[in-house]
Amino acid sequence: MNHSSSEHSTTNWNVVFLILALIAVVFGLALFIPGGALKTVLIVSVSAVWAFFLLNDLMHLKFESKTLKLSLSLPIIFLFWLLGVLFLSAIFYSFH
Amino acid sequence: MSSITISKSIKNVWDGGEDVLPMNASYGKLMMWFFLLSDAFTFAGLLITYGFFRMKYPSFEGALESYAFSPDVWPLASKVFTHFPLLHGVEIPLGFVALMTLILISSSLTTVMAVEAGKKMNKGSVEKWMIATIVGGIIFLSCMGWEWSVFIEGINGVKATMSGNPYGPTIFANLFFIITGFHGLHVFSGIVLNIIVFYNVSIGTYERRGHYEMVEKVGLYWHFVDLVWVFVLTFLYLI
């Protein structure tokens, strides 16, 4: 059995508070910033950082091997690329 | 003799024996990670579809006071999701969804505590934090049910269904139902898995096994449900 991460089991409360701060930031951006491309980019970026800390610290991915990290992160990077391409396509083929 | 040694070592690697750990992770944990990756692709398909239609329709431009729902304009989430339980007539834009987010994040933290307690082989503590996680999941799912009922109720007697809604284009409600419904299904299955693992913890299965890795694996699934919510929230409610 692998218990490689057992020695790193202490919860990093700084990360927890950082995640809570990021939640406040995304809601602040959503409610108080006027709509537009900049708002979308900012919100998606902050959410991506929030997701990173969730994955890296709460899911303990940072304690896994480099190969496993790459096996998981490279396909996810492809998803973000696809997201960007389809967003641009949607604007190009807009109904209006 | 040497060829026998080589073939034996190859067999060991691909059979996945007790002493062989590809990527330095146990078989179950590795498979959970890759299952979650495949699930991420499914959710990405749904969310990218949402993003495509979101960008394809024009957004509302102008002063918020003059905002009106229209089937030709993508609705503003801060105008659709304004209700809060027990506060009739008071509009709190995205207030309830913020509360739902905090509930889910809290249940993720209780999962972290359960996993830590498992590493310390503290059965009582694992049970306590797993119950907290299950309760958090049930509260979240109940909140989602309430939000669906308010969303379906619609505006001025016009209900939101798969064939039309009072908020905006038909596809808006369709995607809302499908994406939040699919996420809700994950929360539900997460609760069921947590209950099964909690039962096993209670009867001492993992205590006898000598480790609580199953709590860690179900914890990964639960964190993933939270991770997906980050993007569901971002796409459906915030942008």
Side-chain angles (χ1 to χ4, degrees), chain B residues 72-212:
Chain B
D72 300 320
V73 177
W74 202 262
L76 281 178
S78 57
K79 291 286 179 184
V80 178
F81 306 102
T82 57
H83 301 81
F84 206 91
L86 307 174
L87 294 175
H88 300 290
V90 182
E91 288 198 353
I92 306 172
L94 305 178
F96 191 56
V97 80
L99 178 69
M100 285 168 71
T101 305
L102 288 177
I103 291 167
L104 205 58
I105 279 284
S106 306
S107 76
S108 232
L109 292 180
T110 53
T111 299
V112 170
M113 304 310 281
V115 171
E116 281 194 19
K119 282 174 180 167
K120 291 170 187 157
M121 297 298 288
N122 187 340
K123 186 185 159 196
S125 192
V126 175
E127 284 176 317
K128 183 179 76 183
W129 291 115
M130 284 201 80
I131 287 176
T133 306
I134 292 164
V135 169
I138 291 169
I139 294 173
F140 179 85
L141 215 51
S142 311
C143 289
M144 187 176 271
W146 185 85
E147 182 156 87
W148 266 48
S149 70
V150 172
F151 185 84
I152 292 169
E153 213 170 280
I155 308 163
N156 302 327
V158 183
K159 289 188 183 297
T161 63
M162 289 297 269
S163 54
N165 68 83
Y167 310 109
T170 307
I171 191 85
F172 166 71
N174 297 359
L175 287 167
F176 173 81
F177 287 131
I178 291 168
I179 296 172
T180 57
F182 195 55
H183 179 259
L185 183 71
H186 277 72
V187 177
F188 175 75
S189 50
I191 293 169
V192 172
L193 288 173
N194 267 300
I195 289 173
I196 294 168
V197 173
F198 170 77
Y199 173 75
N200 284 336
V201 170
S202 302
I203 62 171
T205 306
Y206 309 125
E207 195 79 17
R208 286 193 295 277
R209 199 176 282 179
H211 61 84
Y212 278 82

Side-chain angles (χ1 to χ4, degrees), chain A residues 39-56:
Chain A
K39 178 182 179 175
T40 306
V41 171
L42 278 175
I43 289 177
V44 174
S45 306
V46 176
S47 297
V49 175
W50 170 9
F52 169 79
F53 282 110
L54 204 65
L55 194 62
N56 203 46

Side-chain angles (χ1 to χ4, degrees), chain A residues 1-13 16 19-20 23 26-27 29-31 35-37 39-41 43-48 50-52 54-55 57-61 63-69 71-73 75-76 78-80 82-84 86-91 93-96, chain B residues 18 21 23-27 29-30 33-34 36-37 40-41 44-45 47-58 64 72 76 78 93-95 97-99 101-102 105 108-109 112-113 115-116 119-120 210-213 216 219-221 223-224 226-231 233-235 237-239:
Chain A
M1 264 310 133
N2 174 38
H3 295 289
S4 60
S5 58
S6 57
E7 64 271 26
H8 308 285
S9 62
T10 313
T11 309
N12 189 344
W13 287 102
V16 174
I19 287 174
L20 290 175
I23 294 173
V26 282
F27 274 94
L29 287 170
L31 290 170
K39 178 182 179 175
T40 306
V41 171
I43 289 177
V44 174
S45 306
V46 176
S47 297
W50 170 9
F52 169 79
L54 204 65
L55 194 62
D57 290 78
L58 297 194
M59 293 173 85
H60 290 176
L61 185 61
F63 301 128
E64 300 297 346
S65 71
K66 192 183 169 190
T67 343
L68 181 54
K69 280 183 205 163
S71 308
L72 297 169
S73 56
I76 297 293
F78 165 73
L79 286 183
F80 275 96
L82 188 62
L83 180 78
L86 280 173
F87 267 34
L88 292 175
S89 306
I91 296 166
Y93 293 110
S94 177
F95 289 130
H96 302 275
Chain B
E18 280 295 310
L21 294 170
M23 297 190 192
N24 203 27
S26 72
Y27 176 80
K29 210 165 152 187
L30 201 59
W33 274 115
F34 286 124
L36 296 181
L37 181 66
F41 269 71
L47 289 171
I48 289 170
T49 307
Y50 183 91
F52 183 83
F53 283 104
R54 171 72 183 80
M55 302 306 267
K56 203 170 165 97
Y57 279 91
L64 280 179
D72 300 320
L76 281 178
S78 57
L94 305 178
V97 80
L99 178 69
T101 305
L102 288 177
I105 279 284
S108 232
L109 292 180
V112 170
M113 304 310 281
V115 171
E116 281 194 19
K119 282 174 180 167
K120 291 170 187 157
H211 61 84
Y212 278 82
E213 205 196 49
E216 216 174 323
L220 278 179
Y221 182 77
H223 287 308
F224 176 77
D226 194 9
L227 188 69
V228 167
W229 178 252
V230 174
F231 291 100
L233 174 80
T234 301
F235 283 84
Y237 297 92
L238 301 182
I239 63 171

